[in-house]
Amino acid sequence: MNVPGSMTTLRARVREALGKAPVRRNFRAAMDGIRAKRAAALPDATDFAQRRARAAAIRARALARLPELLERLEQRLEANGIQVHWAEDATQANAIVLDLLHRAGARSVIKGKSMVSEETGLNDALGEAGVAVVESDLGEYIVQLAGEPPSHIVAPAIHKNRHEVAALFQAHHPQREATEDIEGLTAEARQVLRRRFAQADAGISGVNFLVAETGTLVLVENEGNGRLSTSAPPLHIAITGIEKVIERLDELPPLLDLLTRSATGQPITTYVNFISGPRRADELDGPREVHLVLLDNGRARIHADPLFADTLRCIRCGSCINHCPVYVQVGGHAYGSVYPGPIGALLEPQRLGLEAGGSLTSACTLCGACGDVCPVAIPLPGLINQLRAEGVEPRPDSPLPDAGRLRHRGEALLWRLWATIYAHPHRYRWLARLLTALRRLAPRRLGAWTRWREAPRPAARDLHRPGARSGVLR
Amino acid sequence: MTKETHEIYVFGTCLIDLLRPEAGMAALRLLERAGFRPLFPQAQSCCGQPAFNSGYRHEARAVARAQLAAFARELPVVVPSASCAGMIRNHWPALFAGEPEEAQARALAARTFELCEFLDRAGLVLQDRGESVRVALHHSCSARRETRTTASAERLLEQLSGVECLAPAHAEECCGFGGTFAIKQDALSAAMADSKCDAVLATSAERLLSQDAGCLLHLQGRLAQRGDTLPVQHIAEFLWERIA
């Protein structure tokens, strides 16, 4: 599992990402493409506002009754023959999955895309236990071959161009003829993966929505990998966070509609899987066992905090990431976290604590672009700003791990000094007079500011002086 | 209307006060031209945003409280900066939630306007006296999202017959200033400024304008360090220059 860590390591990763000019050019074009698709799929602002009010209300209602809905979900799932497991943290979740695989004697696993399994570091845990895992989502497969974590929650390999993918495929599929053609590359992955689907002892997938009313696991995807991972092997294990539950089946269409439009600009994905149980006696295919691992990993704590509970409304569409001007400069790996971009800057410090994840809140200009596009109206910039406050001036009863830990004496002293001057008109006037009088002595170097920009020079006369004659300005 | 009702407050903002008073002067003159009597309270300093966005809310509140005292009369407060206007309008009510000044902060938030928005609503007529020029208007994120006043700025510029307004690529994207972000993530901030500068230079604009002194300070500083000579101006300064 990656831990974003300190400000110094974040800055180092950012520097590294900024140094890769050709990668950044490709990446920019890819991001522009994905933004254009969303814009075309949601062209009308009023219509979007209505759709998102509805979606946000559905998610908010579900979260308001989370314990009750989870209980109902568990009952319905079990009635459908899906076995439910509860995991408090990553270690427990991985242990549950491993235990299920051991009991089934499974040695090889095919995986559909799952961000929660990235969160638990499942692939590493399985690898250490001698279980072979192959990612079946094309993007995930590519980053797996490259030995990298995903750089985006929806498009894991968006940072790679076809030449890089071709080089990876050549290295890992030596028996196949080399190609740089996109269709050829896709066909190659398809053929390699088909064999894996057929051979796998178990399939592992994520979940987009859990429907309490019917006990259904809903999974959207475009490649058929999710469908195959969950239906070809005899054992299917789904893993997801507890917040993904919604109450009723009829609440699903408005959410799916906004999820796919926000993520990829599609009105609907090629496949929408509704999984409501293992193979029945009269059925020819499908897994013999279906399990769901419900992961907490800090979610219950976030849910209990009235200030930050809205974070859990997130439906993982990645739209905030796609529209983030910081993400588009550096890509997902620079964040060093499982979830990058605005949702990462909001979720990770809460999940990991402010000591480990709090520096991510600095990778944000509070420009607000993320808040504008979020399909469930999470006030991302406001909450990221609130997290900054929790880092240095926490609420007395803040449940956030390591609240207040980002306060540094030097910085705190500077702000106190600033307030001592700016909150007292006479002191501020004195400062203004001093700065304007000594403007020629103003330093040419101002630390991090002048590393990139010329220093501003104080004005010859501050505005207070002509301002004093206001009304007689002629 | 009596003369009394024409009185308005101007909140100059700390950046304009200390670094760009010409923009503040231009704002005062534009407001006069629109028929108002601008009052500039001497006790004003800053809206508190730098500390607020850094998490230091106690300090932000202390500074904001001083402004509540400085702008005590029930007059409109006009701010030649979308980000400071946005701070007062959108964040002061929450900043003072549960404090004795909450009602006062809410009332002040409700009578605060960004300069272009105020001039546009007041129906200021601009007679262009300048030579023809191509400009790029950088929409600050706060003009776009905090105060939603980019259209007002555009309408004012449209009145100027000699001005052609060009839109740079990725105009919706942040320039990378973000207050202390410019220092805490300096390399990232500079990379964002570079994207913005490149896009603006590609438009063949002869001047870069904005409703925000913060963005301008950052972009001007970056352009100068890169050796680019594109002039940068606060929109108030530009508007006044065209009609004076």
Side-chain angles (χ1 to χ4, degrees):
Chain A
M1 242 189 308
N2 280 303
V3 172
S6 71
M7 189 74 161
T8 320
T9 55
L10 174 64
R11 287 167 53 94
R13 280 192 305 267
V14 163
R15 285 272 196 160
E16 194 195 331
L18 289 174
K20 296 174 181 165
V23 179
R24 289 177 63 203
R25 270 194 300 276
N26 289 330
F27 184 63
R28 169 95 246 184
M31 295 303 291
D32 285 350
I34 204 165
R35 284 185 195 181
K37 283 183 185 163
R38 182 222 175 247
L42 292 164
D44 185 81
T46 316
D47 172 63
F48 174 63
Q50 286 166 356
R51 287 181 200 228
R52 96 153 158 181
R54 191 166 55 209
I58 293 170
R59 291 294 296 133
R61 261 202 316 272
L63 289 171
R65 299 166 49 199
L66 187 62
E68 177 201 332
L69 291 187
L70 285 172
E71 231 173 273
R72 180 125 61 104
L73 175 78
E74 184 177 26
Q75 285 165 8
R76 294 297 311 166
L77 286 170
E78 305 246 317
N80 290 348
I82 298 177
Q83 297 172 55
V84 179
H85 310 264
W86 300 87
E88 250 174 59
D89 57 19
T91 318
Q92 238 181 55
N94 291 347
I96 292 168
V97 174
L98 260 177
D99 181 53
L100 290 170
L101 294 175
H102 279 154
R103 276 198 276 158
R107 305 297 302 161
S108 77
V109 168
I110 186 87
K111 250 180 90 199
K113 193 168 169 307
S114 157
M115 284 310 294
V116 165
S117 74
E118 300 287 341
E119 193 181 317
T120 67
L122 180 62
N123 285 9
D124 286 345
L126 295 185
E128 280 163 27
V131 178
V133 191
V134 176
E135 293 286 348
S136 62
D137 172 273
L138 181 57
E140 286 275 358
Y141 180 65
I142 292 167
V143 294
Q144 187 184 29
L145 293 186
E148 295 172 5
S151 80
H152 189 290
I153 65 170
V154 174
I158 192 164
H159 60 298
K160 294 212 178 295
N161 64 29
R162 67 189 164 98
H163 308 294
E164 293 167 277
V165 174
L168 268 176
F169 278 16
Q170 256 171 324
H172 287 87
H173 312 151
Q175 73 283 11
R176 305 197 65 92
E177 203 179 319
T179 175
E180 288 211 338
D181 168 65
I182 289 178
E183 272 182 34
L185 291 168
T186 315
E188 182 172 329
R190 185 187 172 89
Q191 279 170 21
V192 171
L193 287 170
R194 284 282 154 148
R195 206 169 309 134
R196 301 290 194 155
F197 284 120
Q199 290 165 350
D201 303 319
I204 295 178
S205 77
V207 177
N208 291 97
F209 296 103
L210 301 158
V211 185
E213 176 188 39
T214 53
T216 309
L217 318 179
V218 183
L219 189 58
V220 299
E221 45 129 0
N222 281 310
E223 299 165 13
N225 60 299
R227 188 176 62 142
L228 281 168
S229 306
T230 59
S231 62
L235 170 66
H236 169 210
I237 305 169
I239 173 166
T240 194
I242 53 170
E243 81 281 18
K244 291 282 181 74
V245 69
I246 58 168
E247 187 188 358
R248 299 191 314 263
L249 197 61
D250 66 6
E251 292 174 330
L252 192 61
L255 290 176
L256 283 180
D257 175 75
L258 266 191
L259 169 64
T260 60
R261 281 174 201 273
S262 302
T264 51
Q266 293 171 284
I268 190 168
T269 42
T270 315
Y271 297 91
V272 181
N273 303 283
F274 288 73
I275 298 163
S276 47
R279 178 196 301 199
R280 295 192 175 83
D282 58 342
E283 288 173 346
L284 290 175
D285 51 17
R288 295 185 193 282
E289 276 181 43
V290 179
H291 297 260
L292 173 68
V293 181
L294 280 165
L295 177 69
D296 179 342
N297 215 20
R299 288 164 171 83
R301 176 170 41 75
I302 299 172
H303 182 255
D305 186 349
L307 228 43
F308 287 104
D310 287 348
T311 308
L312 299 181
R313 263 193 242 159
C314 176
I315 57 173
R316 304 287 190 266
C317 69
S319 198
C320 61
I321 303 176
N322 297 341
H323 293 79
C324 176
V326 168
Y327 180 89
V328 79
Q329 293 289 338
V330 294
H333 291 157
Y335 292 78
S337 53
V338 171
Y339 303 93
I343 188 60
L346 177 58
L347 180 61
E348 300 293 55
Q350 297 185 64
R351 204 167 65 77
L352 307 167
L354 287 164
E355 175 90 44
S359 66
L360 290 174
T361 62
S362 75
C364 168
T365 64
L366 299 178
C367 81
C370 53
D372 272 9
V373 295
C374 176
V376 286
I378 301 172
L380 285 144
L383 292 181
I384 291 171
N385 196 1
Q386 177 67 36
L387 274 180
R388 290 184 183 175
E390 297 291 330
V392 296
E393 276 181 23
R395 291 165 283 162
D397 53 348
S398 178
L400 276 161
D402 311 320
R405 197 70 66 82
L406 300 180
R407 190 179 181 92
H408 299 295
R409 277 185 63 191
E411 199 192 20
L413 200 66
L414 276 178
W415 284 118
R416 198 180 309 154
L417 182 68
W418 172 84
T420 304
I421 296 171
Y422 278 64
H424 294 90
H426 292 298
R427 295 181 197 163
Y428 177 75
R429 295 293 300 120
W430 174 81
L431 171 80
R433 258 179 228 136
L434 192 72
L435 283 176
T436 49
L438 303 179
R439 64 192 291 262
R440 287 181 205 291
L441 303 177
R444 313 288 296 167
R445 302 211 154 274
L446 290 170
W449 178 273
T450 46
R451 206 171 294 148
W452 306 95
R453 315 161 195 92
E454 280 196 356
R457 181 180 269 202
R461 287 198 318 170
D462 61 86
L463 182 60
H464 275 68
R465 279 190 262 176
R469 296 180 289 114
S470 63
V472 282
L473 283 167
R474 281 166 286 274
Chain B
M1 256 192 275
T2 63
K3 201 168 185 184
E4 183 71 18
T5 60
H6 278 76
E7 282 187 340
I8 52 158
Y9 279 134
V10 171
F11 182 67
T13 86
C14 58
L15 285 186
I16 286 182
D17 187 31
L18 300 176
L19 302 172
R20 241 173 215 283
E22 319 81 78
M25 283 304 295
L28 288 162
R29 291 191 164 119
L30 286 166
L31 287 162
E32 279 200 325
R33 181 64 65 89
F36 297 94
R37 183 181 153 83
L39 306 177
F40 189 94
Q42 288 291 299
Q44 64 176 285
S45 62
C46 168
C47 66
Q49 187 178 195
F52 179 72
N53 284 354
S54 303
Y56 288 83
R57 299 202 170 169
H58 177 77
E59 285 78 2
R61 198 156 35 236
V63 171
R65 193 173 282 126
Q67 316 312 310
L68 287 176
F71 294 91
R73 286 175 60 194
E74 287 191 15
L75 301 174
V77 179
V78 182
V79 193
S81 155
S83 95
C84 311
M87 174 68 196
I88 297 172
R89 216 146 82 175
N90 305 341
H91 303 297
W92 277 18
L95 187 63
F96 284 101
E99 302 280 326
E101 301 91 347
E102 187 176 352
Q104 212 185 335
R106 281 188 185 283
L108 199 144
R111 58 183 163 92
T112 295
F113 303 88
E114 186 269 332
L115 174 73
C116 293
E117 170 188 37
F118 191 81
L119 293 173
D120 182 39
R121 282 202 203 179
L124 174 66
V125 177
L126 300 170
Q127 181 90 51
D128 196 356
R129 295 170 197 274
E131 285 172 19
S132 63
V133 64
R134 293 186 305 274
V135 302
L137 175 64
H138 164 61
H139 286 173
S140 69
C141 301
S142 16
R144 188 183 291 280
R145 304 189 182 93
E146 287 272 336
T147 57
R148 314 228 173 230
T149 52
T150 53
S152 305
E154 279 171 355
R155 273 195 293 272
L156 292 172
L157 289 174
E158 271 165 24
Q159 286 192 42
L160 302 170
S161 51
V163 175
E164 188 190 351
C165 202
L166 304 165
H170 299 116
E172 75 294 343
E173 230 169 68
C174 176
C175 69
F177 174 56
T180 50
F181 173 84
I183 294 161
K184 286 190 174 167
Q185 292 293 347
D186 58 302
L188 191 45
S189 167
M192 292 164 77
D194 281 341
S195 297
K196 189 60 68 182
C197 294
D198 292 345
V200 171
L201 292 170
T203 61
S204 81
E206 298 158 271
R207 210 176 289 198
L208 175 62
L209 310 175
S210 176
Q211 287 162 270
D212 261 279
C215 309
L216 291 178
L217 187 72
H218 162 68
L219 291 173
Q220 183 175 35
R222 184 65 193 146
L223 283 165
Q225 187 156 56
R226 284 162 40 130
D228 290 309
T229 52
L230 182 74
V232 161
Q233 218 173 14
H234 189 280
I235 192 168
E237 252 180 285
F238 179 75
L239 291 175
W240 181 251
E241 184 189 299
R242 299 297 294 189
I243 65 169

